[in-house]
Every structure is written in structure tokens, then in C-alpha cells.
Amino acid sequence: MSASAARSAPPLAPGSRPVPGYEVLAHLTRTGWLDVYDAWSEERACRCAIKTVRPDRRGERRLGERLLREGRWLRDFTHPHLVRAYETVESPEPLVVLETLTGETLSHLLDRLRRRPAAADVALLGTQLCSAVHYLHRQGLLHLDLKPSNVVVDCGHAKVLDLSVARPPGPAPAGVGTRCYLAPEQARGGPLTAAADVWGIGITLFEAACGDRPFDRGGTGDEEPRDGEPRDGERAGEGGSGGPAGRYPQLERSAPAVGSRRRLPPALAAAVDRCLRTDPSSRPTVAGLAAALAEALPGPPRPASSRV
């Protein structure tokens, strides 16, 4: 099948069986390299989600490896604020079976709500993101793509999705992540630390509180996340505007204070602003951020050991 024909190939129809034991119920979404299906697991007698590489990109071995790597991590990890994978399948085509989540993505929720979330809800979301990120860091991974579309919320309970660009701390090429959400050091390339995920939490809370992003250059700002490898004739991190600084607005200016977009309790506003400092060393630790956000929640203070 040619690339153009594969690109226009319809998704699997309801009733299809991509592998034994799983039946497709519906096609959920198609991204730049993935198809995601609502499916039925005969073994578990429950619904699940199946992620597969798109037909037109199945020849790219690194994408299949990337999908299976994410699936193995999510299969082995167990955390209340992190999506869980049931299993990975390598043949005939790579796929990952995930739990079905109720609720909706934070990005969809923010678009649907007529009013912006209460400050206490923003703080609660932040503590839950800190908990998930703290767990990932203890497993030796940085998420590197925290944003509203990678968070599902159901009745105040948040779960983090998508470890497709996750990697251990250390050197990374420019552009790992999603353009308008990644930290300046992700845009620039170089050593990455836990501070990059603190930025990701902060920019997610900024959008949740204010309804828009601190950095946007038009469009949705939520394009396909990049893993830093060259694509479509580009060198990683460079675009038509002439290099990293032209491509990434967070390299051109500091984030505006959240208070310039919305009035929030001073402690909560200060916590979000500290996350979005340009210098990674000046951002709070995940534990420090969790403690600051917990103080913004109503009710008596909780012991430090329960904050992360």
C-alpha cells in the first residue's frame, strides 16, 4: 500500500479483531502517528482502549518501539493519578491495551465550562499532578509533555496520560515535547531535570486557571509532541522562522504573571509563577510545589508526608 493510500485508509471497523481477545467497538481518534480505539477485552469482560501505529507510519520502526516502550512503562507502573496499561502486543503490529478512563480531558473540560475552575480546584489539580510526577521521577523518568490534553479529569480526580516522549533525566535534543508547553530548556536542548516537569505542571495550572496559555503563536498550540528527532527535513528544534528562538516563544520572553490574567489567592498565584521561571534552578522542587499547593486548599493543613 502506498503512503498516500495508507494515509486515507479508514480505521478498523466495529467488530474487527486487531488481536485475539479484543474486539473494536469504535474508533476514538487519529493523531499524527496513532489510531486509538474503544475496544472490548474478552479476558477481562470490560472495555479498554487500544493504541496502534497509523497504517501510513507502520514502516517507521522507531514509532512502534516508542509505543511499546510507553506501554511497558504504564503496564509496570501503579499510581492513582497515572493511566494504567494492561498489556503490550508486538505482532502482527505493535499495540498497547490501556484501561478505559471515565471523565474527559482537561482541555475538553476547559473548553466546555462556562466559568473558569475555582481556585481550590486548580490547587487540587496541582497536588494530583505533583503526586503523579513525583512517582514518575522515583521510577527514573521525566514526563516532558504535561498539558491539559494529557490529563483526564473525572469528578475531581485527575489521571496523567501519554509517556510517549518520556525519558530519564540528562541530555536531550532540542524540541522534546509540545511547542507551547515545553520548558525553555526543552526548547533549547541540553540537560533536562525534574524542573522541566515542574514547568509542565505550572503551565497546565496556568491554562486551567486562566483559560489560555502564557505562550501561543497562533493555531491550537497543542500540535503533535516531538521526541526531538529530525522530521520533514528540519533539524530538531528548528523551524522556518530561523532556529529555536524563532520557533519557541518561551525562549523569547518570560511567562506573564498569572495574576495579570486572573485574580487568584496570593499563595496559589505565587506557586504557579515560580513554576514558570526561565531558570530551572529557580523553580520549586516537586515536593515544595506540592506543599505550597496543599496550603492553598481549604481545610486543615495536611502532614508533609501526605502531600506527594
Side-chain angles (χ1 to χ4, degrees), residues 96-276:
V96 173
V97 182
L98 299 158
E99 66 174 324
T100 292
L101 297 179
T102 55
E104 56 191 319
T105 63
L106 179 60
S107 57
H108 185 272
L109 180 64
L110 295 174
D111 286 340
R112 183 176 60 79
L113 290 176
R114 295 183 179 180
R115 296 182 180 179
R116 290 176 291 188
D121 291 335
V122 174
L124 177 61
L125 170 66
T127 62
Q128 295 179 5
L129 296 181
C130 285
S131 182
V133 166
H134 173 81
Y135 177 83
L136 287 175
H137 291 180
R138 292 291 295 269
Q139 311 310 309
L141 287 179
L142 305 177
H143 187 283
L144 300 179
D145 199 25
L146 292 164
K147 56 186 179 182
S149 62
N150 277 343
V151 179
V152 167
V153 180
D154 183 26
C155 298
H157 185 89
K159 284 201 174 188
V160 173
L161 314 176
D162 196 351
L163 299 184
S164 63
V165 299
R167 63 176 61 210
V176 174
T178 303
R179 187 190 68 198
C180 287
Y181 292 97
L182 44 71
E185 62 269 27
Q186 290 174 255
R188 189 181 299 111
L192 300 182
T193 67
D197 280 343
V198 171
W199 174 284
I201 295 171
I203 203 165
T204 300
L205 296 183
F206 188 107
E207 185 168 348
C210 303
D212 56 7
R213 294 171 289 271
F215 302 102
D216 202 346
R217 298 189 61 203
T220 65
D222 197 18
E223 60 195 21
E224 185 72 14
R226 298 184 59 153
D227 57 10
E229 297 187 22
R231 183 181 303 172
D232 298 331
E234 291 184 357
R235 288 190 298 159
E238 294 190 356
S241 51
R247 179 178 178 86
Y248 300 108
Q250 52 272 65
L251 292 179
E252 300 171 346
R253 58 186 183 275
S254 299
V258 70
S260 67
R261 306 277 182 92
R262 178 183 174 184
R263 181 176 297 178
L264 291 172
L268 177 57
V272 174
D273 288 342
R274 285 195 295 270
C275 292
L276 298 179

